[in-house]
């Protein structure tokens, strides 16, 4: 919320300085992000009236001007601006004036100068030279009524400051200057001077019929016809100045008036060209198949969830969001219809974001707009329109359907004191409620004393006891509440040795050269189709943006997005991981403290590797990371437990380079190279390798157990065999491990060969068998017998042949 300090002080004028006022607002919960001067410091610049303009005798692009600055004699000033003309009023920096320089401690001093043989006694200024804007195309034209010699800072009200508030969503009442003024009055005790709004009597009986108003979406609808307006009239300078300093672009008198009333009173309005309306006007929810062209030229499809303003032709605007192009008021408009309505926040919330745009009206309606100032807003706008554009107003029509009920809220004084931590006097609490404009009553006495407060129509954030306690605390002053260190009994809780924290998993991957990332849990709907194969994902009812419309059931999409982000910034080696929850439908899940019925929310850990396997260096050849590199990372993550890797297909992974991770006989995750289809779709020059594993099974770990370390030397035997190409290595390992004798300590694959000497359709595998006994030294005959026994098992189960 942005506004000028002069506008605020027109409604409430406390003794506090600008900086003190900014601090007070921030400490009361209305954070002031900035409080900046309208213009930089300069002096000696006055209003100059150009009396005459002559061509410079020695320069084609320069002019010699006679300028009246209110002195006894006019000044001669050489000027190069293309728009200088006799009769205009412009800023004139006299000799001795100081303008903005290279820095605040080095101002630019205006001196007498001779330009191409002609003496210049000052300088005529553009907006950029005064620091008002970047416009340097010509001189800044001032109001023709400004007296010559008047200080420009006074003429343009440049000693003003602009406040920019960062409001929390619950404080919709402060999305207006009047709302902020109420706060300032309550905090400082200064009298509130709201704008005087009187009823504008009708001068004609023109009215527009009101059709059906859907009470489920519109609680109140008010309107008025105004005939014979001059829509092309110019917006007065005072209004333009206030709007511009509030960050609004001036468009036309009618639009500027509605924006002004919205900023002043917090009341969004809309102006229709009466002659473009067909029949009456009404409010209803849209119908499937209906379309509407908006003021921003966007064509949107409406449905049963979108509230619309309609006439006999169908939708003419999105209620509380934006009007339609077919009925907009234009400079040639003569008759208009002024609309003021109250739409329920739940009906408006999220609809603008669904259509990928936002508006000031939607920003206010979805947070809650005062439902008692409908008519006041119309009367205020009517007076401004008549004063600026003329016209003949008709009677105000006001239809209230189902206004929100403001239920009384009880606040126990003892409870408030306990929560705040300070024994605030009950009389001071009552004074705070009075200053805030709350209607209240007392109940009980002594320790049982309570205040029953009825929230005003503009305070949608007052609903429970804690809301009132917060109001008391912030108006009382957070700075008056002493700060005490928190005290709580320290309890040392045992950490089970057989369980490891999720944070340990983060440390393991960080130690293997991965960087942790944190992403949103809501993602693009296409990601769920691409990376999880889900065509019916869990949808977000009120997404913050269209690309965040569903809840993710896999972390793959987020990691690929991180990859693309870094590739676009010229990184070639990327290793990232994320530990977060995913969201899946599961009918077996019941409601609980941390569970929602029908929705599983397991923790998953996922990682992605892309580019060189190791950082480029002189000692190792550069190669691209592959499936087996990431498989090693997974094994390290699972250690000391051992997982099985079974060939299987996943919608997001390469059909021949993916595996299911199985732990203790249960599938816990996936590992593989990104599918070529997705590599092409997401424009990745090289394939990425990913894994995603459930966290819960990884947290269990066996306690360390004593194991005798043999003092006898180990023996190794290499077993080289030929098997069919389709034979899985894991099957061979499983068969040997199932029958291996006690002295066998380890069996590992150390070589895979295809090529010369190996028949087509076969592959050569070499296993290293480590044999060691803890009680004695084994003989060569015993080691050879163990090797032969393993070979017999492979021959019997897989048809393996010993390779010569």
């Amino acid at each position: 919320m942005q506004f000028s300090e002069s506008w605020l002080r027109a409604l409430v004028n406390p003794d506090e300085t600008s900086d003190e006022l900014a601090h007070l607002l921030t400490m009361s919960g209305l954070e002031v992000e900035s409080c900046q001067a309208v213009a930089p410091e300069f002096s000696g610049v006055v209003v100059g009236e150009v009396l005459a303009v002559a061509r410079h005798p020695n320069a084609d692009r320069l002019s010699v001007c006679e300028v009246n600055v209110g002195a006894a004699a006019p000044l001669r000033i050489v000027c190069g601006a293309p728009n200088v003309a006799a009769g205009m009023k412009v800023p004139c920096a006299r000799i001795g004036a100081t303008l903005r320089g290279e820095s605040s401690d080095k101002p630019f001093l205006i001196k007498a100068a001779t330009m191409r043989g002609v003496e210049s006694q000052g300088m005529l200024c553009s907006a950029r030279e005064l620091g008002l804007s970047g416009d340097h195309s010509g001189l800044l034209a001032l109001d023709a009524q400004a007296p010559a010699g008047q200080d420009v800072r006074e003429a343009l009200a440049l000693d003003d400051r602009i406040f920019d508030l960062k409001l929390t969503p619950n404080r919709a009442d402060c999305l207006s200057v009047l709302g902020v003024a109420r706060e300032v009055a309550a905090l400082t005790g200064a009298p509130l001077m709201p704008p005087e709004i009187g009823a504008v009597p009708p001068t004609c009986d023109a009215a527009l019929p009101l059709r059906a108003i859907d009470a489920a979406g519109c609680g109140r609808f008010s309107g008025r016809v105004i005939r014979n307006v001059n829509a092309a009239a110019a917006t007065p300078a005072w209004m333009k100045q206030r709007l511009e300093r509030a960050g609004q672009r001036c468009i036309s008198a009618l639009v500027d008036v509605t924006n002004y009333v919205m900023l002043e009173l917090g009341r969004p309005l809309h102006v229709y060209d009466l002659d473009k309306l067909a029949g009456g006007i009404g409010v209803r929810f849209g119908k499937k198949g209906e379309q509407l062209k908006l003021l921003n030229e966007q064509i949107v499809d409406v449905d049963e969830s979108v509230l619309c303003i309609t006439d006999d032709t169908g939708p003419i605007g999105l209620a509380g969001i934006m009007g339609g192009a077919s009925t907009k008021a234009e400079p040639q408009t003569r008759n208009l219809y002024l609309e003021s309505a109250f739409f329920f926040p739940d009906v408006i919330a999220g609809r603008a974001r669904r259509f990928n745009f936002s508006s000031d009206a939607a920003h206010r309606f979805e947070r809650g707009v005062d439902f008692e100032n409908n008519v006041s807003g119309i009367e205020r706008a009517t007076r401004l329109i008549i004063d600026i554009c003329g016209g003949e107003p008709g009677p105000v029509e006001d239809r209230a359907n189902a206004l929100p009920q403001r239920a009384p809220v009880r606040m126990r004084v003892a409870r408030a004191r306990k929560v705040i931590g300070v024994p605030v006097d009950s009389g001071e609490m009552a004074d705070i409620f009075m200053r805030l404009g709350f209607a209240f009553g007392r109940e009980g006495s002594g320790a049982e004393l309570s205040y029953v407060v009825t929230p005003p129509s503009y305070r949608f954030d007052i609903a429970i006891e804690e809301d009132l306690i917060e109001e008391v605390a912030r108006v009382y002053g957070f700075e008056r509440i002493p700060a005490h260190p928190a005290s709580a009994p320290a309890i040392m809780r045992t950490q089970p040795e057989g369980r490891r924290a999720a944070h340990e998993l983060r440390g393991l991957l960080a130690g293997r050269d991965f960087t942790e990332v944190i992403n949103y849990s809501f993602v693009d709907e296409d990601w769920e189709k691409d990376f999880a194969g889900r065509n019916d994902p869990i949808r977000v009812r009120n997404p913050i943006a269209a690309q965040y419309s569903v809840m993710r059931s896999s972390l793959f999409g987020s990691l690929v997005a991180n990859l693309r982000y870094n590739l676009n910034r010229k990184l070639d080696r990327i290793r990232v991981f994320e530990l977060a929850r995913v969201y899946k439908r599961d009918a077996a899940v019941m409601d609980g403290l941390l569970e929602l019925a029908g929705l599983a929310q397991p923790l998953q850990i996922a990682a992605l590797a892309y580019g060189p396997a190791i950082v480029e260096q002189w000692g190792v050849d550069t190669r691209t990371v592959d499936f087996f590199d990431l498989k090693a990372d997974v094994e390290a993550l699972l250690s000391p437990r051992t997982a099985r890797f079974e060939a299987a297909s996943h919608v997001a992974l390469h059909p021949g380079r993916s595996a299911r991770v199985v732990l203790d006989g249960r599938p816990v995750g996936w590992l593989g190279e990104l599918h070529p289809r997705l590599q092409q779709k997401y424009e990745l020059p090289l394939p990425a390798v990913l894994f995603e594993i459930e966290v819960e099974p990884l947290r269990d770990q066996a306690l360390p157990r004593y194991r005798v370390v043999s003092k006898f030397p180990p023996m190794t035997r290499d077993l080289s065999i030929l098997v069919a190409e389709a034979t899985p290595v894991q099957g061979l390992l499983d068969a040997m491990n199932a029958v291996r004798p006690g002295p066998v300590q380890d069996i590992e694959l150390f070589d895979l060969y295809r090529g010369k000497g190996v028949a087509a359709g076969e592959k050569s595998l070499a296993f290293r068998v480590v044999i060691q006994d803890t009680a004695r030294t084994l003989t060569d005959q015993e080691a050879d017998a163990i090797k032969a026994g393993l070979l017999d098992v492979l021959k019997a189960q897989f048809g393996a042949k010993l390779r010569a």
Side-chain angles (χ1 to χ4, degrees):
M1 175 63 190
Q2 181 178 313
F3 55 87
S4 64
E5 183 180 1
S6 61
W7 194 356
L8 176 64
R9 289 190 181 272
L11 303 183
V12 60
N13 192 13
D15 295 333
E16 281 77 3
T17 65
S18 302
D19 291 337
E20 291 171 343
L21 187 58
H23 178 75
L24 185 63
L25 287 172
T26 297
M27 292 306 298
S28 70
L30 307 183
E31 182 183 353
V32 178
E33 280 200 300
S34 64
C35 178
Q36 298 179 341
V38 170
E41 288 296 325
F42 62 81
S43 62
V45 183
V46 299
V47 176
E49 179 184 7
V50 180
L51 301 177
V53 179
R55 183 185 295 273
H56 193 290
N58 301 319
D60 293 338
R61 296 188 178 182
L62 297 179
S63 303
V64 180
C65 307
E66 297 292 326
V67 183
N68 174 22
V69 293
L75 302 179
R76 179 189 295 174
I77 296 177
V78 177
C79 175
N83 66 330
V84 64
M88 72 183 302
K89 299 284 183 69
V90 296
C92 177
R94 305 181 64 175
I95 294 175
T98 57
L99 303 181
R100 181 182 62 171
E102 295 179 359
S103 61
S104 58
D105 58 339
K106 293 183 180 180
F108 180 67
L109 181 65
I110 301 299
K111 303 176 182 178
T114 300
M115 302 182 69
R116 295 289 185 94
V118 177
E119 183 182 6
S120 181
Q121 299 171 312
M123 183 176 77
L124 304 184
C125 302
S126 67
R128 190 172 77 174
E129 286 158 345
L130 297 181
L132 302 182
S133 73
D135 184 10
H136 194 52
S137 59
L139 300 177
L140 174 63
L142 302 178
D143 187 356
Q145 304 302 317
Q150 182 185 23
D151 192 308
V152 164
R153 299 194 72 91
E154 179 184 351
L156 297 178
L158 298 182
D159 291 322
D160 199 359
R161 295 175 75 87
I162 295 177
F163 280 72
D164 190 2
L165 305 187
K166 183 180 181 181
L167 298 176
T168 52
N170 63 312
R171 293 308 305 270
D173 60 299
C174 290
L175 288 170
S176 67
V177 180
L178 178 59
V180 178
R182 287 195 199 102
E183 284 293 301
V184 173
L187 295 170
T188 64
L192 181 66
M193 300 171 287
E196 296 182 4
I197 302 175
V200 178
T203 58
C204 70
D205 58 359
L208 182 68
L210 289 185
R211 305 298 192 203
I213 306 296
D214 194 318
C218 180
R220 188 173 188 177
F221 192 93
S222 308
R224 169 179 249 169
V225 171
I226 306 178
R227 291 191 173 277
N228 298 319
V229 299
N230 175 19
T235 303
W238 65 268
M239 182 180 288
K240 291 176 66 174
Q241 184 185 88
R242 285 184 171 180
L243 289 174
E244 289 170 352
R245 291 181 183 178
Q248 291 286 335
R249 180 172 61 91
C250 294
I251 298 172
S252 67
L254 294 178
V255 175
D256 293 346
V257 164
T258 58
N259 285 337
Y260 183 85
V261 174
M262 177 187 68
L263 291 171
E264 183 182 54
L265 305 180
R267 163 49 53 191
L269 303 169
H270 190 69
V271 174
Y272 300 87
D273 188 322
L274 182 65
D275 298 325
K276 296 179 182 178
L277 293 172
I281 192 169
V283 183
R284 64 168 171 81
F285 286 93
K287 300 175 182 177
K288 194 170 184 179
E290 289 183 323
Q291 284 191 328
L292 172 64
K293 185 177 182 180
L294 301 174
L295 290 173
N296 62 1
E297 302 297 323
Q298 182 178 346
I299 298 176
V300 298
D301 296 307
V302 300
D303 56 29
E304 296 82 356
S305 66
V306 180
L307 193 65
C308 300
I309 308 295
T310 63
D311 65 2
D312 290 353
T313 65
I316 58 172
L318 297 179
I321 300 175
M322 184 175 289
S326 63
T327 57
K328 69 177 180 180
E330 298 179 290
Q332 60 269 28
T333 296
R334 294 290 297 165
N335 305 306
L336 62 87
Y337 182 74
L338 186 61
E339 169 239 304
S340 174
F342 171 76
F343 304 109
F344 290 101
D346 290 346
V347 175
I348 305 301
R351 299 331 188 256
R353 287 191 293 275
R354 180 189 304 180
F355 299 121
N356 295 320
F357 71 89
S358 183
S359 69
D360 289 326
H363 186 73
R364 287 162 171 79
F365 275 118
E366 64 187 7
R367 286 162 172 76
V369 169
D370 186 359
F371 53 83
E372 293 290 352
N373 73 350
N374 282 51
V375 175
S376 298
I378 282 188
E379 296 289 4
R380 177 65 166 158
T382 300
R383 172 51 59 197
L384 293 171
I385 289 173
I386 291 174
D387 290 346
I388 299 170
C389 305
E392 303 166 5
V396 176
E397 297 184 72
D398 181 32
R399 182 185 296 180
N401 291 328
L403 297 179
Q405 297 300 312
R406 309 304 285 150
V409 181
R410 181 187 305 276
M411 187 196 77
R412 295 163 290 172
V413 171
R415 171 66 177 165
R417 289 170 176 166
K418 182 178 180 181
V419 172
I420 296 171
V422 174
V424 182
D425 184 72
S426 61
E428 187 167 359
M429 293 183 185
D431 180 62
I432 288 172
F433 292 145
M434 290 179 61
R435 286 153 58 186
L436 288 170
F438 292 177
F440 66 95
R442 287 171 174 260
E443 288 188 0
S445 60
E448 302 299 321
L449 177 61
S450 297
Y451 286 105
V452 180
V453 177
T454 302
S457 57
Y458 50 83
R459 290 299 298 271
F460 283 79
D461 59 317
I462 306 298
I464 58 176
E465 183 179 33
E466 285 71 17
D467 295 331
L468 292 177
I469 295 174
E470 179 187 2
E471 293 299 297
V472 170
R474 67 183 192 83
V475 178
Y476 174 80
F478 291 124
E479 291 177 312
R480 296 173 60 188
I481 301 175
H484 297 297
S487 60
I491 301 175
M492 298 295 291
R493 300 186 183 275
T494 58
Q495 180 69 30
E497 290 187 69
R499 295 275 291 173
R500 56 181 174 178
H503 190 69
E504 288 186 45
L505 304 178
R506 293 187 173 99
L508 285 170
L509 286 182
R512 296 188 69 84
D513 202 19
F514 285 89
T515 299
E516 185 176 11
V517 293
I518 300 175
N519 295 296
Y520 282 124
S521 294
F522 19 85
V523 298
D524 193 311
E525 185 174 353
D526 285 346
W527 292 7
E528 281 296 283
K529 297 176 183 176
D530 290 342
F531 299 105
R534 296 183 185 274
N535 294 316
D536 185 25
I538 300 170
R539 300 187 180 279
V540 180
R541 289 183 179 177
N542 185 21
I544 60 174
Q547 65 269 31
Y548 300 127
S549 60
V550 302
M551 302 300 292
R552 63 180 176 180
S553 61
S554 169
L555 304 181
F556 281 168
S558 301
L559 294 180
V560 170
N562 298 139
L563 169 61
R564 296 186 67 202
Y565 180 90
N566 285 279
L567 286 177
N568 290 337
R569 283 150 185 81
K570 306 302 181 184
L571 275 72
D572 62 350
R573 183 175 184 268
I574 298 153
R575 294 169 66 87
V576 292
F577 79 93
E578 182 173 15
L579 192 153
R581 295 194 181 277
V582 296
Y583 304 85
K584 304 176 181 179
R585 290 188 176 88
D586 187 347
V589 178
M590 307 302 291
D591 274 327
L593 291 176
L594 299 176
E595 291 83 26
L596 187 65
L599 183 66
Q601 306 174 58
L603 270 176
Q604 304 270 96
I605 189 166
L608 177 148
Y610 176 92
I614 60 174
V615 178
E616 185 176 2
Q617 56 157 300
W618 62 270
V620 179
D621 291 338
T622 300
R623 65 175 180 83
T624 302
V625 67
D626 60 21
F627 174 94
F628 296 100
D629 291 313
L630 211 62
K631 179 173 178 285
D633 294 320
V634 172
E635 290 173 335
L637 191 64
L638 297 174
S639 180
R641 302 168 72 187
T642 302
R644 289 172 52 84
F645 297 88
E646 299 178 351
S649 295
H650 185 284
V651 66
L653 301 178
H654 194 296
R657 300 172 189 172
S658 61
R660 181 185 291 111
V661 183
V662 180
L663 193 62
D664 297 334
R666 187 175 78 84
V668 295
W670 288 90
L671 163 69
E673 188 177 295
L674 189 66
H675 199 291
R677 169 180 55 84
L678 299 179
Q679 180 184 343
Q680 182 179 12
K681 178 176 180 179
Y682 291 96
E683 300 176 340
L684 304 178
L686 299 172
V689 191
L690 311 92
F691 75 76
E692 182 171 8
I693 302 175
E694 297 176 23
V695 168
E696 190 57 32
L698 303 186
R699 298 185 63 182
D700 294 325
Q701 59 182 2
L703 294 176
R705 290 189 301 173
Y706 171 74
R707 180 181 176 185
V708 177
V709 178
S710 177
K711 60 183 179 181
F712 301 100
M715 305 181 71
T716 61
R717 291 292 185 269
D718 291 345
L719 181 61
S720 183
I721 60 173
L722 294 172
V723 293
E725 178 67 43
T727 303
V729 172
Q730 187 66 56
L732 299 170
L733 289 171
D734 290 343
M736 288 188 287
N737 285 322
V739 299
R740 75 182 191 181
V744 175
Q745 302 297 319
D746 192 24
I747 304 175
E748 288 186 350
L749 174 74
F750 71 88
D751 185 56
L752 165 66
Y753 175 74
R754 301 180 183 91
K756 186 177 179 180
V758 176
E762 290 187 336
K763 59 185 175 183
S764 171
L765 300 173
F767 296 93
R768 178 153 294 153
V769 183
V770 180
I771 308 168
Q772 185 181 34
D773 198 294
T774 59
R776 63 188 179 87
T777 301
L778 297 175
T779 66
D780 287 338
Q781 292 79 5
E782 290 172 318
D784 291 340
I786 290 173
K787 173 184 174 182
L790 295 176
L791 179 60
D792 290 341
V793 170
L794 299 183
K795 287 180 177 179
Q797 295 188 22
F798 301 96
K801 297 177 292 184
L802 184 65
R803 184 182 177 193

